[in-house]
Amino acid sequence: MARLFLFAIGGTGARVVRSLTMQLAAGINGLDSNTEIVPIIIDYDLSNGDKERALDALESYSKIHSALYENRISNGESFSNHFFMTNISPLINLDSHHFAFKNDFELSFGVANTQKTFADELNYRGMDGAKNALKMTHELIESQYDDSEVGDVNTELNLDLHKGFKGNPNIGSVVFHKFSKDPRFNKVELSYAAGFNDEAKNDKIFIVSSIFGGTGSSGFPEIVSAIRNSTKLQDACIGAAIVLPYFSLNSPEQEAITAGDTGAIDPKSFNAKTKAALGAYSNTINGNVNAIYYIGEQEGMRDQYKYAEGQVRQTNDAHVVEFLAASAIIDFLKDNGNHVSKTDPNTHRPRGLSALEFAVKNVKDGIAINMTNFSQGFQDLLLDDLAVFAMAARYYREVLKGDRKAIATNETFYTKDHFNLATKLGRGVYSEFEKFLGEKNPSNEWGYYHWMDELCKDHKHKLKLFNLRRVKDTDDKDDLRKILSHKTITVTGRNPLNDERICSSINDESSDGPYTDEEFFHVLRKVFKKKYQNNK
Amino acid sequence: MYKFFQWLPDFVSRIDGKYGEYAKDFGEYYRDFLIESGICGSVITWGLIVTLIVVSLYYFIGCNKWHAVANRPIWGVVLLLTCGITFLMTYNSVLGNYDEKKEHLSGVYAVALNNDNGTWQRLRKGIEDEEHLSRIDRVCDAYIGQFQNGSEKLPIEMGLAVSLFTLIEFFGFSIWFKRYTKHGAGVPF
């Protein structure tokens, strides 16, 4: 089994994981049921809003995967061409296809005690009055860090860590230094080495983080260092998505100040911190990582986000940069172009660095990015699979759930002798699927439809791949032809994308059974994949 | 198989000789036609065969090949058509065809008039009494006249009865066959 340990650091890492989860839901060609991804979301900010949304998405995905496939995989079967087929496992329960709770995917460094400062983390006060080496350490720290009072925008030693490092990688890197001693990292070491067979040699590690904030830019080099210094992991193939600045922050509003924000995060320093980090990485990281994917937004095209230093108020809309960073993970895992360098088993270092950037073509100001702005290779990598999922999701909502035109309940595949959907929709795995889509609970804002909606709103670079608007007030039977945002799919002869023809195809594909929930979603994917491929 | 029609009051009253002016005499003719000739069994059997053929065509060809026909409205139309076909078949079988040439007689006319075993011929055998023979002639003419001028509703009643049987058979075959089709498993329910 191909396994990927995915370290996602900070808010950006969490947002990328959310995008990745949505992409994997589509069933990416090449990442079949034998593929296992182990997300480890690392954040010092215990209640970060973006992290919570990513964890919710992971938990829901895990529940659906488990409900549909656990028994089949336990029986030793492997398969492709299914939604939710890639196994996403928590670190504490590898190789299990049982569903996982959201917190299982989290590796939190944070402290429950909101009073803990950086000085407390270092036991700085305890060094005061000490002798010899400890006294010198105390003086060194005193010289390196600002000791302004708690709440001061410049404070470092007295920085309250419960919201993370607030854009101070010089603090974060010290805190992260103990990462290699964390028992959960030891678990990664043991899991990676557990096979030491042909399968284990296919295991990979990927790290995604921003480079202009606090948590990500602190954690990334420490994690790479911990991996390369580990005797068990030193030969690992490591990839990384380094997310360059892609947004800026407005000045703190009254709401933020009332919530305790101090204005410590200075967006004007993002570029400088990025340059400093890249400079540092060229001497440290670049020789230790097999592939680096650089993704960011050019100056002048960066969105202005509302100021929030962390916790639940840090809930940013999904962005195309995060979408592409997630696709980098898929590209690394599949490595169809064989462009990821190999690790030399003698030196335990990569034989070279594959440095990759992402480009879109023909993007016009004010016009959302759509499928035509991507290369054919990228469409093959995942966009086609996403299109199939989008079509299936719309059909599920509009026809099976009756949002546009309810299906006749005596439709063959709907009846109780077949998939028995009348009793199943809204329950069990179907309920979880609807929740994943963002339909079930109005307060669920992490779901698929919300994610797609966020990607194409209020950004200077919007990403609008599909039309997913509600059409409950229209009787347009051909509406699925308009699934792609850049064109109406042209069909010849009898329209194979109208509701009646889709029903016919589902009946055809499912006529021999079995009539399990897994088979229903499989048939749905098969039908729409065929229709999309024939008519895109 | 005439017992399948014994729930029709008019049917029974005709056989029992309780119908019309020459009730007892007519009874002879009706018993010959409805019981002895086997017309009842014939219309029921043909009705069943036609229904089976239509339902088979609808489900195993229609509902397997074309999703567009696998719905309740189409099923309903096919049902009505089948009932219509069996009604007409029964009506024509019962009423038959009146002709001067005996070999062209069919239906009730064939039973009443045709060959030496025809009801009329059989009843006249051995009777010398002219008045009695004349009475038989009048009954026979009245009997045939009722069917010719349409005042006899028995063909319609039997046609409707066979249509009802067709409806029941159609439902039964539908429930049996629908599960073996690609698109018709939910038709009619």
Side-chain angles (χ1 to χ4, degrees), chain A residues 409-413 415 417-418 494 499-501 503-505 507-508 511, chain B residues 64 66-68 70-72 178-179 181-189:
Chain A
T409 55
N410 64 336
E411 189 59 61
T412 293
F413 71 86
T415 60
D417 291 332
H418 287 67
R494 292 186 63 197
D499 296 341
E500 191 260 320
R501 297 302 302 276
C503 281
S504 176
S505 297
N507 286 340
D508 278 328
S511 59
Chain B
N64 267 336
W66 299 292
H67 180 267
N71 55 67
R72 286 175 187 148
K178 68 187 180 88
R179 70 192 66 179
T181 66
K182 261 188 204 167
H183 304 299
V187 180
F189 43 76

Side-chain angles (χ1 to χ4, degrees), chain A residues 219-284:
Chain A
F220 175 55
E222 290 298 323
I223 291 175
V224 172
S225 172
I227 292 170
R228 286 294 180 223
N229 289 329
S230 161
T231 53
K232 295 185 175 67
L233 298 176
Q234 60 190 359
D235 291 336
C237 180
I238 305 176
I242 295 181
V243 181
L244 307 171
Y246 66 100
F247 65 85
S248 185
L249 295 172
N250 290 326
S251 302
E253 294 173 2
Q254 187 57 45
E255 179 198 346
I257 295 168
T258 306
D261 287 353
T262 61
I265 302 176
D266 178 12
K268 294 193 188 67
S269 67
F270 284 178
N271 283 347
K273 285 177 180 169
T274 299
K275 286 179 187 169
L278 288 172
Y281 291 174
S282 66
N283 295 323
T284 55

